[in-house]
Amino acid sequence: MSVSFRREGAAAFVEMNNPPVNAIGLAMREGLQSVLDRLAGEEGLTRVILTGAGRAFAAGGDAREFDAPAVAPHLNDIVAGIEQCAVPWIAAINGVALGGGCELALACRYRIARPGVQLGLPEVGLGVVPGSGGTQRLPRLIGMKPALDMIATGKPVSAEAAERMGLVDALSDDPVTAALELGAGVLGTAQRICDMPAPEADDAAVAAARVTAARKQAQQIAPQRAIELVAATAARPLADGLAAERQSFLDLRTGDQARALRHVFFAERAAKAPDWLTAQPGPTDRVAVVGGGTMGAGIAYALLNAGKTVTLLETDAAGVERARANVEKILSASLKRGLIDAEGAEARRARLTVSDDYATAAQAGLAIEAAFESMEVKHAVLSRLEAVLPPDAVLATNTSYLDIDEIASCVADPSRVLGLHFFAPAHIMKLLEIVRAARSSDHALATGFALGRDLRKVPVLAGVCDGFIGNRILARYREAADTVLMDGATPWEIDAAMVEFGYAMGPYEAQDLSGLDIAFANRRRQDATRDPNRRYIPIADRMVECGRLGRKTGAGWYSYPEGGGKAEDPTVAELVQNAARAAGVARRDYTADEIRERLVLAMINEAAEILSEGIAQSARDIDLVTVFGYGFPRWRGGLMFHADTLGAPHVVERLRALEAEDPVAWKISPLLLECVATGQTLGAFRPG
């Protein structure tokens, strides 16, 4: 039963029960409506206490229903029924209250929350607006600006913050008992939100919310629509506002952005160890990390955040000091941003050992090497780890490109070795590629997935190839961009086209951020095996030769003045034109649409090959990699979801035109041709 009802004297208890998070689907709505109907015949009640079973109050509507027509009873009607009920309802918020769960709480006369629980209206993250009064009741309760802060960003607040802003009336470790013991006088004077006056207009807060949404949620419809709805509460009657909100919700939930965002939402929730992986993971409470540079320090800090005991290993005393300083820099930044307090910082320091003596890591059940991208260095590190760690400890490499099968060859038992490819900054980025080498054991893979769960990462299983899933697609993206650059565009034209597509930054600004020398070193590694028939664009090599390595040198594809910001640099435009003349290229103009099409089609074609080769296990996994690791716009659903939106016939038709231009670089993936022939989508394909 999704909703239970019991009565004890003058109090009724209503419990929502739809594990694991009490999502508000049809059965729960029917249960709540049944309670409302029943209350009409109950006499002598002084209160109805609404709570959730388990550790959640209610985590919002069931998004799986959004693709179908809305079915009565509707949550907005139930919320109105609770608010208008003659018997006052009290929300005993025992756990997370998000979306529709928060709206149910707003319908209640009084709200008591357990300390630490989260409350919020995150609907914009799914491409919709609150549909059951959230945009209309919340600003009346807490004011225009804090309501905008919550609704337009979708970010939840803690119960403590909610109490300070007036969203909840009281905190209690046992909110149900507190609701039962609430004095009749207090409950009797509690005001329904529908009886509260409209909030005061705040044009400055509305304008600021619009600017923030345009910057952080560029091109997304729902945040701006939510801002409009909240802003209108200052002058619009509640009934009119509720009607406008409901219509916006219904319009948006069947739109392209909402479908794409739901796809990513469910893909992220489903990201876990594959069903066939039944082995037990090894212990990860003690982890060794080799290499204390930017990546290694970030990995170490991510582990510390998860409560792990970490030994960070370096080569010498100077390296130890650098590594310690790198971790301390992240700690200080976290303290400054309020992500941890002083006590938390000390707890992390207490669990960290930084040393150049590998023997200090002798009790680790897992080691992650994040050393320099050199096969000789990787072999040396794994050999030293093998000498001191227990024989069943798992050995992981964070390599971005190197062959993990070759890395594992130096170990007596290669089944201990797998790839754990983190993304920088490792303590922030959510993606974790778990790379299965030819001899990686199920035990090692299970350990990798268990670690990913502990770190709250989005784990994706990948096979061994140059660049795995993400960097292989990235390489093709950059190659396509470089070709357009050579043949007629500028770096800033290409960047602008991809920002307009939805990326936070284009390929050239991103290279400036990471450093052009990193990609340069990778190209040199590939020189011996590069296909001589494939066109090679040397412009990025010229940039490195000129010392333009990106932000760290003050100049890359852009120049970076000391005062901050970036500027288009005519020196780069001249360098590009000189390279084209030297290659005998007659440059032409590209429209932004042409640039976008070429770069996106290049990625789709490469991703189709990755899927057909079994490097990725599903199109959904490629979507997760591109969204969480490489900035593909979430509201487009990921690369393969976007490809299916375009349709395989359209993709192949456009690729054929490009293949006529360059049959090597634009050779069409047989999987795409198969999809056209069979009518199958990329999302439905599974490698054999």
Side-chain angles (χ1 to χ4, degrees):
M1 183 180 295
S2 295
V3 177
S4 64
F5 177 94
R6 64 183 174 88
R7 178 170 177 171
E8 292 183 8
F13 298 83
V14 179
E15 184 179 72
M16 298 176 284
N17 186 7
N18 182 20
V21 294
N22 297 332
I24 308 169
L26 176 60
M28 185 178 288
R29 297 197 306 275
E30 290 175 336
L32 289 169
Q33 184 61 57
S34 177
V35 168
L36 285 169
D37 294 341
R38 176 174 180 169
L39 288 175
E42 294 281 337
E43 296 183 358
L45 280 177
T46 62
R47 70 196 63 201
V48 178
I49 300 170
L50 178 65
T51 193
R55 295 187 297 175
F57 181 74
D62 190 342
R64 292 172 296 185
E65 297 181 354
F66 285 11
D67 287 317
V71 177
H74 306 297
L75 183 60
N76 61 309
D77 293 329
I78 292 166
V79 166
I82 291 173
E83 187 175 53
Q84 298 295 330
C85 187
V87 182
W89 286 54
I90 305 171
I93 305 169
N94 57 303
V96 61
L98 300 175
C102 186
E103 289 173 310
L104 284 169
L106 290 171
C108 295
R109 198 79 58 88
Y110 202 85
R111 288 160 293 279
I112 304 172
R114 177 176 291 159
V117 304
Q118 297 282 301
L119 299 90
L121 295 165
E123 283 87 349
V124 295
L126 288 175
V128 296
V129 297
S132 298
T135 66
Q136 303 303 297
R137 292 187 175 90
L138 188 63
R140 283 175 166 80
L141 181 63
I142 66 174
M144 183 77 71
K145 184 180 186 306
L148 284 167
D149 290 343
M150 287 183 63
I151 294 171
T153 66
K155 292 181 180 178
V157 297
S158 68
E160 292 81 356
E163 184 188 34
R164 288 192 295 271
M165 67 175 62
L167 172 53
V168 300
D169 301 288
L171 302 180
S172 172
D173 290 331
D174 186 352
V176 173
T177 298
L180 184 62
E181 295 175 349
L182 186 68
V186 174
L187 185 57
T189 57
Q191 193 176 16
R192 300 182 306 179
I193 294 178
C194 62
D195 295 329
M196 295 179 180
E200 293 185 10
D202 190 337
D203 294 342
V206 171
R210 290 193 184 284
V211 170
T212 298
R215 185 177 73 253
K216 295 187 176 181
Q217 299 149 299
Q219 301 186 56
Q220 295 188 45
I221 301 168
Q224 296 289 354
R225 187 75 60 82
I227 293 167
E228 291 173 10
L229 290 164
V230 173
T233 59
R236 179 186 280 167
L238 178 62
D240 292 349
L242 290 172
E245 177 198 75
R246 184 66 180 175
Q247 191 59 54
S248 290
F249 168 77
L250 293 174
D251 291 344
L252 289 171
R253 82 174 198 161
T254 57
D256 292 341
Q257 289 193 6
R259 280 195 292 266
L261 288 164
R262 286 199 297 276
H263 169 73
V264 176
F265 172 76
F266 286 118
E268 182 181 0
R269 286 181 62 182
K272 59 182 180 180
D275 293 340
W276 54 261
L277 189 58
T278 57
Q280 289 298 309
T284 60
D285 54 320
R286 294 179 178 272
V287 183
V289 178
V290 181
T294 301
M295 178 60 77
I299 294 172
Y301 191 73
L303 293 163
L304 293 170
N305 279 345
K308 309 293 185 184
T309 298
V310 179
T311 303
L312 184 55
L313 297 170
E314 262 293 349
T315 55
D316 53 29
V320 166
E321 290 310 308
R322 285 193 300 271
R324 184 176 283 111
N326 286 337
V327 175
E328 192 61 39
K329 186 186 302 181
I330 302 174
L331 264 170
S332 298
S334 298
L335 276 166
K336 186 176 181 179
R337 293 178 60 194
L339 300 176
I340 60 173
D341 56 19
E343 184 179 353
E346 284 305 313
R348 286 162 174 77
R349 292 185 184 103
R351 286 185 275 104
L352 174 67
T353 300
V354 188
S355 176
D356 58 359
D357 181 2
Y358 276 57
T360 58
Q363 294 183 328
L366 168 69
I368 305 169
E369 72 79 15
F372 182 69
E373 284 284 89
S374 156
M375 190 62 69
E376 292 74 19
V377 171
K378 305 290 190 189
H379 279 174
V381 167
L382 260 65
S383 296
R384 292 185 69 183
L385 289 169
E386 183 182 31
V388 298
L389 264 59
D392 58 349
V394 173
L395 306 176
T397 173
N398 181 58
T399 184
S400 299
Y401 291 99
L402 298 181
D403 186 337
I404 297 181
D405 292 326
E406 186 177 348
I407 291 174
S409 66
C410 71
V411 178
D413 179 10
S415 72
R416 302 169 66 183
V417 180
L418 81 161
L420 291 178
H421 182 210
F422 290 80
F423 290 74
H427 59 292
I428 294 174
M429 295 291 283
K430 294 184 69 173
L431 180 65
L432 177 63
E433 281 184 314
I434 298 177
V435 188
R436 183 186 191 185
R439 297 181 63 182
S440 296
S441 68
D442 285 3
H443 169 74
L445 293 171
T447 302
F449 275 99
L451 182 72
R453 181 191 64 238
D454 290 350
L455 299 183
R456 298 184 178 181
K457 299 291 187 184
V458 176
V460 173
L461 184 65
V464 173
C465 68
D466 199 314
F468 316 128
I469 299 172
N471 278 341
R472 180 167 158 184
I473 294 171
L474 177 65
R476 182 68 186 102
Y477 173 61
R478 288 178 171 176
E479 181 187 42
D482 284 350
T483 302
V484 173
L485 178 68
M486 173 69 94
D487 291 350
T490 64
W492 30 96
E493 288 171 342
I494 295 169
D495 281 355
M498 298 316 294
V499 168
E500 189 175 346
F501 179 77
Y503 278 90
M505 62 179 69
Y508 294 105
E509 184 179 359
Q511 284 184 57
D512 275 359
L513 190 62
S514 61
L516 274 68
D517 50 331
I518 296 174
F520 178 83
N522 189 51
R523 290 194 297 274
R524 299 293 72 78
R525 180 182 60 82
Q526 296 172 324
D527 282 343
T529 58
R530 185 175 290 110
D531 182 353
N533 296 314
R534 197 174 188 102
R535 187 180 180 192
Y536 183 76
I537 307 298
I539 297 174
D541 296 343
R542 304 287 183 270
M543 295 281 290
V544 173
E545 291 164 4
C546 293
R548 302 181 69 97
L549 305 184
R551 283 183 177 269
K552 60 189 173 185
T553 60
W557 297 106
Y558 298 85
S559 59
Y560 297 92
E562 288 188 9
K566 72 178 190 295
E568 298 173 7
D569 193 331
T571 303
V572 174
E574 183 180 356
L575 186 152
V576 171
Q577 291 165 358
N578 290 341
R581 278 194 294 270
V585 173
R587 286 165 60 81
R588 71 172 182 86
D589 291 334
Y590 285 94
T591 67
D593 285 340
E594 287 177 314
I595 293 169
R596 278 189 290 272
E597 181 180 60
R598 284 171 177 261
L599 271 59
V600 172
L601 287 176
M603 290 191 288
I604 290 171
N605 199 39
E606 191 67 27
E609 281 294 273
I610 289 169
L611 184 57
S612 66
E613 293 169 13
I615 300 300
Q617 300 301 298
S618 68
R620 183 188 66 193
D621 283 352
I622 294 174
D623 289 336
L624 290 173
V625 169
T626 53
V627 167
F628 288 102
Y630 295 87
F632 193 91
R634 185 185 180 110
W635 53 270
R636 291 190 186 274
L639 179 64
M640 301 304 258
F641 183 91
H642 180 63
D644 280 334
T645 300
L646 296 173
H650 173 79
V651 170
V652 168
E653 178 188 356
R654 299 306 304 143
L655 283 171
R656 286 202 188 283
L658 296 170
E659 188 179 34
E661 190 179 290
D662 184 341
V664 177
W666 292 103
K667 181 181 179 182
I668 302 174
S669 169
L671 175 56
L672 287 170
L673 299 174
E674 180 184 334
C675 287
V676 172
T678 62
Q680 178 179 252
T681 64
L682 291 164
F685 179 80
R686 294 293 181 274

